[in-house]
Amino acid sequence: MKSGGGRLVAGNWKMHGSLATNRQLLKALVSGLAPLHGAEFAVCAPFPYLAQVATELAGSGIGWGAQTLSEHDAGAFTGEVSGEMLKDFGCTYAIVGHSERRQLNGEGDVLVGSKFVAARRNGLVPILCVGETLEERDRGETEVVVARQLDAVLKLAGVGAFRGAVLAYEPVWAIGTGRTATPAQAQGVHAFIRDRLSRSDAAVAATLTLLYGGSVKPGNAAELFAQPDIDGGLIGGASLVAGDFVAICEAASRG
Ligand code: PEP
């Protein structure tokens, strides 16, 4: 079943960019994505560049977002950036629970849930990332891990907070490795995620946008996006190359 949430391709620049290279990339995206219809497109940039992204993308219809946010709205949290601040200057999306933050910044399921709640509280669309490591997949624990990650957020936020949310299934072993989940593997987990949310509220589950992330490239995007429960992609490395990102977005707008 395709979701009612619509199609979306979001780029995750991670910790890459400079004023000069961003300008070039954004200008190429504005012209390359202008003729495309049938899907939404967005870029998630590092905090210092969000103002530049907002300016360069103004009026283009391309959305933009942050790669994380604080679970707090304001206060003595040195170095943190809140959802309230992001919303203040027009941010739409916030990635929550990316596996790099889970692994490198010690973000556990409860903190990820609190960040999801903070995004919602401030009118941002969370892009909640879930996914298993290679060891977990090899042990046959993919669904157990994904269910645990989802249930932690469900418990904190309530199923209503998932209305119109974006979830990204990103198997950790496929991120930045050049190794993609097969369309059947990705579809299987996406169907599992939609089914799990349906058990809490079928109407809310129908509004989810489910992205696949993990080494999506122009050569594999169309086949992934053709799967019934894959609504688009969260794109890392290929989102830094204008031609590749545009080609992936073309595949989503066709599919
Ligand atoms: C990501 O950073 O979320 C990602 C999916 O990266 P890549 O496309 O490079 O695997």
Side-chain angles (χ1 to χ4, degrees), residues 8-81:
L8 171 70
V9 179
N12 173 16
W13 288 2
K14 310 194 190 207
M15 200 172 73
H16 293 292
S18 69
L19 288 171
T21 59
N22 298 347
R23 191 172 306 117
Q24 258 190 331
L25 176 56
L26 290 164
K27 284 194 184 312
L29 295 187
V30 169
S31 60
L33 299 181
L36 303 187
H37 301 285
E40 306 263 318
F41 311 111
V43 294
C44 296
F47 288 132
Y49 296 128
L50 288 179
Q52 180 194 24
V53 168
T55 304
E56 294 281 350
L57 295 182
S60 69
I62 304 171
W64 54 275
Q67 298 172 10
T68 184
L69 79 167
S70 171
E71 69 276 29
H72 304 287
D73 287 347
F77 303 104
T78 302
E80 293 292 303
V81 174

Side-chain angles (χ1 to χ4, degrees), residues 12 14 98 100 170 174-177 213-217 234-237:
N12 173 16
K14 310 194 190 207
H98 191 281
E100 286 154 16
E170 297 211 313
I175 297 178
T177 58
S215 298
V216 178
K217 306 286 178 216
L234 182 57
I235 317 299

Side-chain angles (χ1 to χ4, degrees), residues 153-189:
V153 181
L154 261 176
K155 192 170 160 202
L156 266 171
V159 70
F162 280 80
R163 186 179 302 280
V166 181
L167 262 74
Y169 169 54
E170 297 211 313
V172 179
W173 47 272
I175 297 178
T177 58
R179 189 178 158 187
T180 322
T182 65
Q185 281 173 326
Q187 165 57 27
V189 181

